Amino acid sequence: MHAPLITMNDGHQVPALGLGTYQIRGGEGLDQVLTAIQDGYRLLDTSTNYDSEGIVGEAIRRSGLPRSDFFVTTKLPGKYHHYADALMMIQESLFRMGLDYFDLYLIHWPLPKRGLYVEAWKAMITAKKMGLIRSIGVSNFEPEHLDKIIEETGVTPAVNQIEIHPYWVQERMVRANKERGIITEAWSPLGRGNDALKESTITELGEKYGKTPAQIILRWHAQREIIPIPKSRNLQHQRENLAIFDFELTKVEIERINRLEKVDGRIDDQDPNEYEEFE
């Protein structure tokens, strides 16, 4: 089973669902990524800050599949936003993963208080021209951050990966991305702590469609034209998460899930205008 492909604004295609690797590490993590690959995952999402780049690269090598079968994403840490630092970190991540190029590279957080994200974006444009990256994007960018890099470089991100789940629906950002021709990806698409999975709205829809609560939430993302990046160490959950393309929620049902949003629904209150990520 494979996720269908979506065409980005630069002409490259990305799978409509991926595997997140936050907190998936070491030999056990390697096995978990390998089982996901065997079950059909081709979009593998990592980050320098996740400390999982090495196992993702190793899983790709051990899979026996050609590199061209995969869509590999990683992210630039906040401490490397200076132009020269960003270029060197991109190369370092490639060496860590044992790859010749990344399919997608993202600025992990804008860090507007530092004000260096335009510099980082220019380095990524250079890295793309060098053939180190095929598509470039951002993560956790607000509309004003998007507009600033577009206005200063003329280059629009292919993707903006942001926090979205039933408690943080993000209609405003999904619309802002779409208006700019940017694909939205969702990190923590099921939320954290799994409380959303227990909501009666979700469980009732699961019973109606013969699907798990996680499958209902992931399908909600897909129908909103969002690429969810669920993380799972569990083989059964990995398989279930990928099996969301054989049913469809109604518009009314999508609206019902939207209404689960909470004013304080953001995980760890990570406001992109305030969040400081220097690790």
Side-chain angles (χ1 to χ4, degrees), residues 169-195:
V169 175
Q170 290 267 47
E171 276 294 317
R172 173 184 65 94
M173 278 308 310
V174 172
R175 186 166 54 250
N177 288 337
K178 194 167 190 177
E179 286 168 355
R180 292 160 179 78
I182 300 168
I183 285 176
T184 301
E185 287 186 342
W187 59 263
S188 288
L190 302 175
R192 285 189 197 159
N194 291 329
D195 286 346

Side-chain angles (χ1 to χ4, degrees), residues 22 25 60 88 105 108 145 147 188 207 226 232 240 260:
Y22 177 64
R25 299 175 180 144
I60 289 168
M88 283 192 286
Y105 196 84
H108 206 155
H145 309 142
D147 290 340
S188 288
E207 288 170 12
I226 296 164
S232 179
E240 290 169 353
L260 295 174

Side-chain angles (χ1 to χ4, degrees), residues 7-74:
T7 302
M8 298 182 288
N9 60 23
D10 61 4
H12 292 299
Q13 291 187 312
V14 56
L17 185 144
L19 178 76
T21 61
Y22 177 64
Q23 294 182 334
I24 293 180
R25 299 175 180 144
E28 188 179 4
L30 172 62
D31 290 340
Q32 291 157 359
V33 177
L34 268 172
T35 59
I37 291 171
Q38 289 161 4
D39 279 327
Y41 284 87
R42 294 296 178 264
L43 166 51
L44 305 176
D45 182 278
T46 181
S47 165
T48 301
N49 282 351
Y50 296 171
D51 297 323
S52 61
E53 288 178 324
I55 63 160
V56 171
E58 184 63 20
I60 289 168
R61 283 187 292 282
R62 291 195 190 185
S63 72
L65 297 172
R67 166 67 181 91
S68 57
D69 279 11
F70 294 96
F71 189 98
V72 181
T73 303
T74 194

Side-chain angles (χ1 to χ4, degrees), residues 35-262:
T35 59
I37 291 171
Q38 289 161 4
D39 279 327
Y41 284 87
R42 294 296 178 264
L43 166 51
L44 305 176
D45 182 278
T46 181
S47 165
T48 301
N49 282 351
Y50 296 171
D51 297 323
S52 61
E53 288 178 324
I55 63 160
V56 171
E58 184 63 20
I60 289 168
R61 283 187 292 282
R62 291 195 190 185
S63 72
L65 297 172
R67 166 67 181 91
S68 57
D69 279 11
F70 294 96
F71 189 98
V72 181
T73 303
T74 194
K75 308 176 189 82
L76 181 72
K79 63 183 177 181
Y80 296 118
H81 277 199
H82 283 291
Y83 182 88
D85 290 341
L87 267 180
M88 283 192 286
M89 193 61 229
I90 291 164
Q91 294 169 73
E92 173 63 25
S93 287
L94 284 169
F95 286 126
R96 288 183 188 185
M97 297 189 73
L99 301 176
D100 295 325
Y101 67 92
F102 292 122
D103 297 277
L104 178 64
Y105 196 84
L106 309 176
I107 300 175
H108 206 155
W109 288 88
L111 307 181
K113 291 180 180 179
R114 294 185 77 199
L116 295 172
Y117 60 88
V118 174
E119 201 170 320
W121 186 242
K122 288 177 179 177
M124 289 164 59
I125 293 169
T126 299
K128 183 177 180 181
K129 289 175 181 173
M130 292 168 65
L132 303 178
I133 306 167
R134 292 199 168 173
S135 297
I136 55 177
V138 295
S139 184
N140 303 300
F141 271 48
E142 291 285 303
E144 60 267 29
H145 309 142
L146 295 171
D147 290 340
K148 190 171 177 64
I149 60 173
I150 294 167
E151 286 164 10
E152 296 214 19
T153 66
V155 179
T156 300
V159 164
N160 187 12
Q161 186 181 118
I162 57 178
E163 177 185 350
I164 309 177
H165 45 79
Y167 292 154
W168 197 247
V169 175
Q170 290 267 47
E171 276 294 317
R172 173 184 65 94
M173 278 308 310
V174 172
R175 186 166 54 250
N177 288 337
K178 194 167 190 177
E179 286 168 355
R180 292 160 179 78
I182 300 168
I183 285 176
T184 301
E185 287 186 342
W187 59 263
S188 288
L190 302 175
R192 285 189 197 159
N194 291 329
D195 286 346
L197 298 172
K198 301 169 188 170
E199 290 281 353
S200 59
T201 297
I202 306 292
T203 57
E204 287 166 15
L205 289 172
E207 288 170 12
K208 173 182 174 180
Y209 289 103
K211 293 290 183 178
T212 67
Q215 287 172 321
I216 295 297
I217 293 173
L218 294 173
R219 183 64 200 174
W220 167 74
H221 283 283
Q223 286 186 230
R224 296 176 67 211
E225 299 180 336
I226 296 164
I227 298 175
I229 312 288
K231 176 204 79 177
S232 179
R233 300 185 181 93
N234 180 288
L235 174 60
Q236 183 63 29
H237 290 167
Q238 287 176 353
R239 286 177 178 165
E240 290 169 353
N241 290 348
L242 199 55
I244 64 160
F245 299 104
D246 59 352
F247 76 106
E248 208 165 294
L249 300 170
T250 67
K251 287 182 180 179
V252 171
E253 289 164 348
I254 289 169
E255 282 302 316
R256 282 183 63 199
I257 297 173
N258 288 350
R259 288 197 290 273
L260 295 174
E261 184 163 41
K262 299 180 177 181

